[in-house]
Amino acid sequence: MARSDVQLMLDVKAGDEQSFELLLQRYRAPLVNFLYRMVRAREEAEDLAQEVFLRVYRARKDYVPSAKFTTWLFRIATNLALNSVRDNRHQRMEISLDAPVTVDAEDGDEKPLDIAEKHPNIEQYLVEEVRKKMIRHAIDKLPEKQRAAVLLHKYQELDYGDIARILECSESALKSLLFRAYETLRVELAPLVARQGK
């Protein structure tokens, strides 16, 4: 039976290096994907993910399971990503539209964004690619904290309580933050919705 994240972390605290490896394998890909969507640079996302796990390992002796492990992990990741975005704001580069956005957890290879398995014709494929690019671009334009909230909510599928703890705000402040973010996205993506209605 698979051990829970908290149990693995408690085992790491007790000196079990293999438990740390299991946590690394379990969360490396989701963490890199989240960080990539935040900082928009593959190499930087990899470096930040490494820093997250380094901080988790350094904090192992003080670990107390007061919140879900993923909440703690993504709080560290979000803080590092927000700091990185702020520090590199002057160096903003456009995201490559062809850039892969997932990493295979087993071999570390980059994979392109998943496309539905039903083999669409070329026109459907191109329409879907344009749609994905528009959504990615709209999310990228959000202020950092709103972008983090949306990514944690929609892509990591965390609940409000966990996201509020990660972003260190109240649930009501988080709901307000998400409302503003989704309202911005709704306006930004209105042409996309109108186009699909035709």
Side-chain angles (χ1 to χ4, degrees):
M1 190 170 123
R3 289 179 286 165
S4 70
D5 298 336
V6 168
Q7 186 56 55
L8 286 171
M9 195 59 205
L10 289 172
D11 292 347
V12 172
K13 182 177 183 175
D16 181 6
E17 301 289 326
Q18 287 184 329
S19 291
F20 187 74
E21 275 300 314
L22 287 171
L23 284 171
L24 189 70
Q25 289 171 7
R26 192 176 286 179
Y27 288 106
R28 183 181 178 283
L31 204 57
V32 169
N33 289 333
F34 167 73
L35 289 164
Y36 176 77
R37 288 183 176 108
M38 283 296 296
V39 300
R40 303 181 202 121
R42 172 68 51 201
E43 194 172 304
E44 187 176 357
E46 295 276 353
D47 290 346
L48 287 172
Q50 189 171 347
E51 179 64 24
V52 170
F53 282 111
L54 188 60
R55 289 184 183 200
V56 165
Y57 189 76
R58 284 184 186 146
R60 70 192 181 283
K61 298 286 186 202
D62 300 321
Y63 177 72
V64 178
S66 58
K68 285 177 18 185
F69 175 78
T70 51
T71 302
W72 183 52
L73 183 72
F74 279 97
R75 177 185 294 157
I76 295 168
T78 300
N79 289 339
L80 284 172
L82 290 173
N83 288 339
S84 177
V85 168
R86 286 183 199 119
D87 292 347
N88 296 321
R89 187 170 284 156
H90 64 282
Q91 297 175 354
R92 263 196 208 192
M93 295 169 45
E94 284 300 309
I95 184 169
S96 166
L97 297 179
D98 299 321
V101 295
T102 60
V103 174
D104 188 328
E106 292 181 13
D107 57 18
D109 288 346
E110 294 180 343
K111 307 281 188 216
L113 191 63
D114 288 335
I115 296 172
E117 277 298 309
K118 57 181 189 223
H119 303 284
N121 66 36
I122 191 67
E123 184 180 350
Q124 290 170 322
Y125 173 80
L126 292 173
V127 167
E128 182 62 16
E129 284 301 300
V130 168
R131 188 183 77 78
K132 286 178 185 176
K133 288 172 189 173
M134 284 180 73
I135 293 169
R136 257 198 319 257
H137 184 69
I139 291 172
D140 287 347
K141 286 171 51 178
L142 290 172
E144 293 92 17
K145 205 161 185 179
Q146 287 182 20
R147 187 166 70 240
V150 168
L151 293 174
L152 290 167
H153 187 240
K154 286 296 179 192
Y155 290 92
Q156 299 304 320
E157 298 178 352
L158 297 178
D159 62 33
Y160 289 140
D162 290 338
I163 299 169
R165 284 188 286 280
I166 289 168
L167 297 178
E168 298 174 326
C169 64
S170 68
E171 278 192 47
S172 60
L174 171 68
K175 287 177 183 176
S176 175
L177 189 73
L178 280 170
F179 176 80
R180 289 193 311 274
Y182 289 138
E183 187 61 21
T184 301
L185 289 174
R186 187 184 66 75
V187 170
E188 184 79 19
L189 296 172
L192 181 65
V193 175
R195 206 179 300 162
Q196 285 181 331
K198 290 180 182 177

